[in-house]
Amino acid sequence: MVNGTAALQIALQLAGVQPGDAVLVPTLPFAATANAVVYCGATPHFVDSEERTLGMDPGALCDYLSVACEIAGGRCVNRRSGRVVRALVPMHTFGHPADIEGLLGVARDYHLAMVEDAAESLGSTVGGKHTGTFGLVGVLSFNGNKTITTGGGGAILSNDVALARRAKHLTTTAKINHRWEYAHDQVGYNFRMPNLNAALGCAQLEQLPDFIVAKRRLYERYRDAFNCIKGVRVVSEPENAHSNYWLQALMLDEEFSAQRDEILTATNDAGLMTRPVWTLMHRLKHFADCPRMELTVAESIDRRLVNLPSSAFL
Ligand SMILES: *Cc1c(COP(=O)(O)O)cnc(C)c1O
């Protein structure tokens, strides 16, 4: 597809997200995840992260849903707003797999469709299974900053052949197959990836294994370099998961969080491009009124995390 954001939009539509619904998304993501929900006419409902994975916390989410929502007519309904909470969109932050098994359990218990945002985690697996293949549908991005790129691009992953066909149909103007007639059976999108970009993608895919080896080696070098430094740790993959280490990150202990900006200033002054995590979604003014659970862990991570230069060529 033309990019990962468009792929998310269509994936949500295929998962049954309708105008007026709510969709559970992490507050610690990239804006595209919440934006795609809004493109569907639905409301993002923000979920907290766990420090171990940086992804959605299934335990905290389950506790929250048991109070905030009820199951009515086989649907999860927000008690306060009356909105149907239709889907859950875990994201594998910086390539590190979220607790996907735990989140699948929450999705099952609360009748939520799972759309996996695997935009950052191409090549990352859990128990040997690729991220983006656990839920009903998953999404990849091949943007210029991702592990492999097609310039701009994305993909929808699904094991459901009928759903994949609908995805293809919807993203290619919903044209009815015919030798010469041009007719469409619904409002479709022109979200196909141009052939030129796809050609680049074929060449990039061949390099993916080497890129991942290089990124994992870079992680080991950072880890060893910071090993003896008090108050920081390099973020590493959760147990039982294999990460592509798309973005390297340093986590400061809470007592040193006040020094984060000094670290950013000193490193950037020295020509090293470090940066803080993306602004949490619930703090953006256009999402400020969206429903949310307590977001204390994400807020703590936000104070303490510094992304490090991460290129496979470093
Ligand atoms: C990059 C990214 C996207 C969107 O991908 P684009 O191809 O840039 O549209 C979506 N979600 C997350 C978490 C991302 O990192």
Side-chain angles (χ1 to χ4, degrees), residues 177-198:
N177 240 339
H178 192 277
R179 286 167 65 200
W180 55 80
E181 266 174 21
Y182 249 86
H184 309 263
D185 59 6
Q186 69 181 101
V187 176
Y189 300 85
N190 178 17
F191 282 170
R192 76 159 63 71
M193 177 186 280
N195 287 339
L196 284 172
N197 302 68

Side-chain angles (χ1 to χ4, degrees), residues 3-5 8 30 32-33 91 117 119-120 141 143 146 153:
N3 59 53
T5 312
L8 266 173
F30 175 60
T33 321
M91 194 273 279
D117 184 347
E120 302 180 0
S141 166
N143 194 43
K146 296 299 194 315

